[in-house]
Amino acid sequence: MSDHDLLQTLRQHVGTHHVLTDSKATRRFRKGYRTGEGAALAVVQPGSLVEMWRVLQAATAAGRIVIMQAANTGLTGGSTPDGNDYDRQVVLISTLRLRGIQLLHEGRQVVCLPGATLDRLEQTLRPLGREPHSVIGSSCIGASVLGGVCNNSGGALVRRGPVYTELSLYAQVDAEGRLALVNHLGINLGDDPETILSRLEKGEYTPADVRDDAERVASGRDYAERVRQVDEPSPARFNADPRGLYEASGSAGKLAVFAVRLDTFATEPSTVFYIGSNDTADLTAVRRHMLTAFDTLPIAGEYIHRDAFDIGKEYGKDIFLLIDKLGTDKVPAAFAFKGKVDAFFEGLGLRGVSDRVLQFFSRLLPEHLPRRVLAFRQRFDHHLLLRVSKTDADATRAFLQTHFGTTEGDFFECDAEEGRKAFLHRFAVASAAVRYRETHRHSVEDILALDIALRRDDRDWLETLPPDIEENFLAKLYYGHFFCHVFHQDYIVKKGRDPIAIEHRMWSLLDERGAEYPAEHNVGHLYPAKPALREFYEQLDPSNTFNPGIGQTSKLFRWGKKMGPGCDCGQVH
């Protein structure tokens, strides 16, 4: 099928307005939040699950690549094209219009459609006294529920680990390029694909149609026990762990997922303790004691180094205030508007205009962080934000009083506003590196972002770099999920240095430490997929139709493999 005929077919399915081909109009879909960019024949925005199915049928029948995308908030470029060296043209399907959320079992489970966001799911569950698997972090920037499932995301909550389900509804392409719909959602919706999708979207099923299969779970089961094992010489979790790979879970766009079914969790009243120290051993002792001696695990434990604190305070201020004053539900629209502004000015040869303007005005705004938090920044290099259940607050307070009675560290118990703002600041840090890069293009080559899982028994968790690597960086941002020993390490690379060469050397250092990477942002196009993950991708997508090149794998049809004598697929192998 010619490009013209395919585009005409797509327009017939979703409407002319929802098939974007102009490079400026498609920019915010083709360019990753932090990294990655490439060309696409079209960005298609289906308005129903049936429309999405028909778009998939047309694109796969025409032999085109399909990249599925929801909120485009990923940090490793895994939901955008990567370069222009594909052997087929790319059709990018944006699912943002497919926002449905359906409650099962009085809210103890949910069914989420492709465009449902974590923020919207939180709001839906809040009146029921329940919460989704992940409640902080990516929800602050409008990330999608399905994106989290497909990328093994979520891990800020100590007891739960990565999001996981074995109940999903997805489309799959076989080695011959044939598209099929697979219903493993555990809901009887019929047999015909369009009937299944229409009934699901409209909620046309009864409680009797919902099956609870003891062999298929809607959340992970053993993570809390795993994270307690603080003397094990291996990480608690990482993306290539086969325990987290199952159909949609960990699929990274190698399936076209229409819906997932997930468990929800009872909301717990909590207390936040803010801890500071200049000795990493202080925080190590807190982690090891609370993971092994407390009957109930903490809810969350987030680490911030002072350098990350400072850059987050200055370059994450506007996103902090946007969320604080207007709520997370306004963030996706703000990002979309910012993308349009950037596309306009880049067309004039001007890059980073919105970031520079926003940064200028953010400096004029009043101080946004609580006084006691700022005081700890002055005193300490290492900061730990500890959230525990109200029922564990007394025991936690008593332990911290005893522990810090013999060290130079300190802590205070946050009031509600301090606790909320401390955690919000922690997650503003992740976007601050991008702002820093865009406002310092004259001195910054790029961001080198590592997402690592350290051994559970690693006491030397703060890295010391060799001088010949250290001298390549203007700044380093260390932050992460401390109790799980998962760290995000962003390095601001000096102008003229080679980030890829530096990153490969960093990987060697991590290998020597027994670390796994990536830990929770998935491989995207930054990391090579390890053998177990590569095998999983090939099993899901033998024709390599969906998201080719993910994990630095082949971008070629059928993974560049000749499928037998007389292959006439028309591709160069």
Side-chain angles (χ1 to χ4, degrees):
M1 184 181 292
S2 69
D3 291 348
H4 176 270
D5 289 345
L6 176 58
L7 291 173
Q8 286 296 98
T9 301
L10 296 175
R11 292 180 182 116
Q12 290 170 7
H13 289 323
V14 304
T16 301
H17 183 68
H18 296 297
V19 178
L20 309 178
T21 57
D22 179 78
S23 61
K24 291 183 180 179
T26 61
R27 176 191 176 278
R28 66 188 179 97
F29 302 94
R30 296 183 295 101
K31 183 178 175 61
Y33 171 67
R34 179 178 284 180
T35 187
E37 183 175 5
L41 174 65
V43 173
V44 187
Q45 302 169 298
S48 70
L49 296 184
V50 171
E51 286 186 4
M52 177 173 152
W53 171 252
R54 292 173 179 172
V55 168
L56 286 169
Q57 285 182 308
T60 56
R64 302 311 198 270
I65 286 167
V66 174
I67 296 178
M68 304 298 302
Q69 182 187 98
N72 193 18
T73 58
L75 301 181
T76 56
S79 60
T80 65
D82 183 63
N84 300 313
D85 57 342
Y86 296 92
D87 62 345
R88 296 147 287 165
Q89 288 187 310
V90 172
V91 174
L92 193 155
I93 301 177
S94 170
T95 64
L96 289 178
R97 298 174 66 204
L98 308 173
R99 294 182 174 272
I101 295 172
Q102 300 170 7
L103 301 178
L104 301 178
H105 303 319
E106 299 178 326
R108 294 190 300 279
Q109 286 189 333
V110 292
V111 172
C112 293
L113 302 190
T117 64
L118 278 172
D119 172 72
R120 181 59 61 186
L121 182 55
E122 287 180 38
Q123 295 179 38
T124 301
L125 293 174
R126 190 172 295 128
L128 305 177
R130 302 191 70 80
E131 63 188 24
H133 175 276
S134 301
V135 297
I136 49 179
S138 296
S139 57
C140 294
I141 54 175
S144 70
V145 177
L146 266 68
V149 172
C150 294
N151 291 294
N152 296 120
S153 299
L157 302 186
V158 178
R159 307 170 192 174
R160 298 179 195 167
V163 64
Y164 178 78
T165 186
E166 296 172 356
L167 299 166
S168 60
L169 174 65
Y170 58 87
Q172 188 171 28
V173 177
D174 68 14
E176 304 305 320
R178 294 183 294 252
L179 184 73
L181 187 69
V182 179
N183 182 8
H184 287 168
L185 204 55
I187 302 175
N188 181 19
L189 296 163
D191 299 314
D192 173 70
E194 293 200 5
T195 299
I196 291 170
L197 296 170
S198 178
R199 287 185 60 192
L200 175 63
E201 188 162 20
K202 295 174 182 177
E204 292 179 349
Y205 55 89
T206 68
D209 292 318
V210 180
R211 302 187 306 276
D212 294 309
D213 187 345
E215 295 183 0
R216 286 181 179 264
V217 299
S219 62
R221 291 288 186 263
D222 63 346
Y223 184 73
E225 181 57 33
R226 206 184 313 160
V227 79
R228 283 187 183 275
Q229 298 167 356
V230 297
D231 290 314
E232 288 296 314
S234 62
R237 58 184 171 93
F238 53 97
N239 281 123
D241 188 341
R243 290 172 293 190
L245 305 177
Y246 189 94
E247 295 181 350
S249 296
S251 59
K254 300 305 289 180
L255 300 171
V257 184
F258 287 87
V260 295
R261 180 173 162 186
L262 299 166
D263 290 332
T264 69
F265 304 85
T267 303
E268 291 184 78
S270 63
T271 297
V272 173
F273 294 89
Y274 198 104
I275 298 169
S277 180
N278 290 316
D279 185 353
T280 59
D282 262 357
L283 303 192
T284 297
V286 170
R287 170 183 172 267
R288 292 177 63 87
H289 179 83
M290 295 194 71
L291 289 180
T292 58
F294 276 49
D295 292 334
T296 305
L297 290 176
I299 295 172
E302 293 296 305
Y303 170 76
I304 314 176
H305 187 275
R306 176 154 59 183
D307 292 344
F309 183 110
D310 290 346
I311 289 180
K313 177 178 179 293
E314 182 173 356
Y315 295 94
K317 185 176 183 179
D318 57 318
I319 189 67
F320 178 106
L321 291 171
L322 173 65
I323 296 170
D324 186 45
K325 302 303 181 184
L326 299 180
T328 54
D329 59 323
K330 304 297 183 185
V331 175
F335 271 61
F337 178 73
K338 179 179 180 297
K340 291 179 180 179
V341 171
D342 286 337
F344 172 79
F345 281 105
E346 284 186 13
L348 302 176
L350 301 172
R351 182 169 179 172
V353 171
S354 67
D355 284 290
R356 290 194 293 272
V357 170
L358 288 169
Q359 190 59 33
F360 173 80
F361 283 107
S362 71
R363 293 193 178 102
L364 306 179
L365 298 172
E367 179 56 63
H368 59 295
L369 296 179
R371 176 182 54 81
R372 289 201 290 178
V373 169
L374 291 171
F376 264 48
R377 180 262 167 236
Q378 294 298 113
R379 295 172 59 191
F380 301 116
D381 283 342
H382 308 291
H383 300 243
L384 178 61
L385 286 56
L386 178 62
R387 184 184 298 276
V388 300
S389 300
K390 281 283 188 184
T391 54
D392 293 323
D394 289 343
T396 303
R397 187 184 308 109
F399 162 64
L400 294 177
Q401 287 172 340
T402 301
H403 176 74
F404 287 109
T406 58
T407 74
E408 295 182 1
D410 200 357
F411 77 97
F412 66 88
E413 188 170 346
C414 296
D415 61 31
E417 182 178 16
E418 288 173 326
R420 178 178 60 82
K421 289 188 173 182
F423 270 87
L424 180 52
H425 175 57
R426 152 65 183 89
F427 293 103
V429 169
S431 62
V434 176
R435 172 63 55 76
Y436 187 98
R437 177 186 65 187
E438 294 305 313
T439 56
H440 293 78
R441 281 286 176 183
H442 61 286
S443 59
V444 173
E445 185 66 32
D446 207 346
I447 300 168
L448 194 168
L450 294 179
D451 165 33
I452 66 173
L454 296 181
R455 303 188 327 265
R456 284 165 283 179
D457 67 343
D458 193 343
R459 294 173 184 262
D460 298 323
W461 47 268
L462 186 66
E463 71 178 4
T464 301
L465 294 173
D468 63 326
I469 294 182
E470 181 80 43
E471 62 93 19
N472 290 290
F473 304 131
L474 292 169
K476 299 176 297 184
L477 285 70
Y478 295 142
Y479 54 100
H481 315 309
F482 187 67
F483 281 76
C484 303
H485 254 199
V486 167
F487 291 85
H488 305 301
Q489 301 181 172
D490 297 340
Y491 306 85
I492 310 299
V493 181
K494 292 178 181 178
K495 196 73 173 179
R497 309 300 169 91
D498 184 351
I500 294 177
I502 299 168
E503 184 171 19
H504 290 173
R505 289 200 60 195
M506 303 282 281
W507 290 347
S508 297
L509 296 176
L510 292 173
D511 291 339
E512 292 172 7
R513 298 173 65 188
E516 290 280 356
Y517 48 90
E520 64 177 8
H521 290 156
N522 217 311
V523 289
H525 290 284
L526 295 184
Y527 300 90
K530 294 190 175 180
L533 194 58
R534 179 187 292 263
E535 181 180 345
F536 179 63
Y537 291 160
E538 291 193 24
Q539 172 194 342
L540 293 182
D541 185 19
S543 67
N544 208 17
T545 293
F546 291 123
N547 212 10
I550 195 75
Q552 300 182 12
T553 58
S554 172
K555 293 182 176 180
L556 301 178
F557 181 66
R558 291 175 176 163
W559 305 86
K561 301 174 183 176
K562 194 174 181 71
M563 302 304 288
C567 176
D568 60 355
C569 66
Q571 303 298 325
V572 177
H573 301 303

